[in-house]
Amino acid sequence: GNPIADSFWNDTNLSWDIYYYYITAQDLAGNQSVGSDTVTGIPVDLQSCVMLRIADQGGTSDTVWFGTKAGASDDIDTLYGEIELPPPVIDVCDARWRIPSTNGTWLDIRDTLGEGQTSKTFVLDIQSGLSGYPMTVRWSSASLPSGDFLLLDEQTHGSLIRVNMKAESLLVLSNQTITSLEILHTFAATMVMH
């Protein structure tokens, strides 16, 4: 049967702690998998995060989230639910936040903006599946918190792609050489437009 893709289980009754799960799967014919190794899960408050849905031309998609919390770092913060992903599979639609010296993560939480920190940059690596480009990136502009958000191409830092994420909610990406995007989050007073 077809696997269930892009699913996420969310139990809002869990408190902040580390939980251990044993996962099995069952297909439509009733055949059950042997089960996984123990999977560690940490409750994640995605209500305070912004979701991006990335899809290739064939409609295959991946989902990532980003946000800010006081005290978060630029590394993987397991306390906030960030978990390193395995390496991407070739020819499969994939999106992941770039975290130095890791394979990336589907959730990137950074420290909040404030005195001495007037901007944050989130870097998103994207890969199309076999269907290829164009790819789409979608988000809810209403879900963005305070400040300004620019979606830029990473290669030129905005010469090829520059989208005000509060005014738009869709990017159609046709240029196959663009495989990474930046989200620049700044205070409104410090936003620089070129």
Side-chain angles (χ1 to χ4, degrees), residues 101-170:
S101 302
T102 73
N103 292 319
T105 182
W106 57 270
L107 172 65
D108 192 1
I109 303 293
R110 301 290 174 105
D111 198 3
T112 53
L113 296 179
E115 209 170 301
Q117 291 191 341
T118 57
S119 69
K120 289 288 177 189
T121 302
F122 300 84
V123 180
L124 180 65
D125 291 321
I126 57 173
Q127 169 183 291
S128 73
L130 289 172
S131 300
Y133 285 68
M135 294 185 74
T136 59
V137 181
R138 296 179 189 275
W139 63 93
S140 167
S141 56
S143 69
L144 294 165
S146 298
D148 288 326
F149 290 83
L150 285 178
L151 181 61
L152 313 167
D153 65 285
E154 188 205 15
Q155 292 86 333
T156 68
H157 306 290
S159 294
L160 298 174
I161 295 174
R162 184 179 212 73
V163 176
N164 177 343
M165 294 179 71
K166 288 210 168 177
E168 304 291 332
S169 59
L170 170 68

Side-chain angles (χ1 to χ4, degrees), residues 6 52-64 92-95 124 126-129 131-138 170-174:
D6 200 21
L52 298 178
R53 169 99 39 182
I54 296 84
D56 64 17
Q57 179 173 308
T60 305
S61 65
D62 203 357
T63 304
V64 294
V92 172
C93 182
D94 186 90
L124 180 65
I126 57 173
Q127 169 183 291
S128 73
S131 300
Y133 285 68
M135 294 185 74
T136 59
V137 181
R138 296 179 189 275
L170 170 68
L171 167 68
V172 178
L173 182 59
S174 299

Side-chain angles (χ1 to χ4, degrees), residues 68-74 77 79-80 109-113 117:
T68 59
K69 292 217 185 268
S73 75
D74 293 347
D77 294 309
L79 176 64
Y80 297 119
I109 303 293
R110 301 290 174 105
D111 198 3
T112 53
L113 296 179
Q117 291 191 341

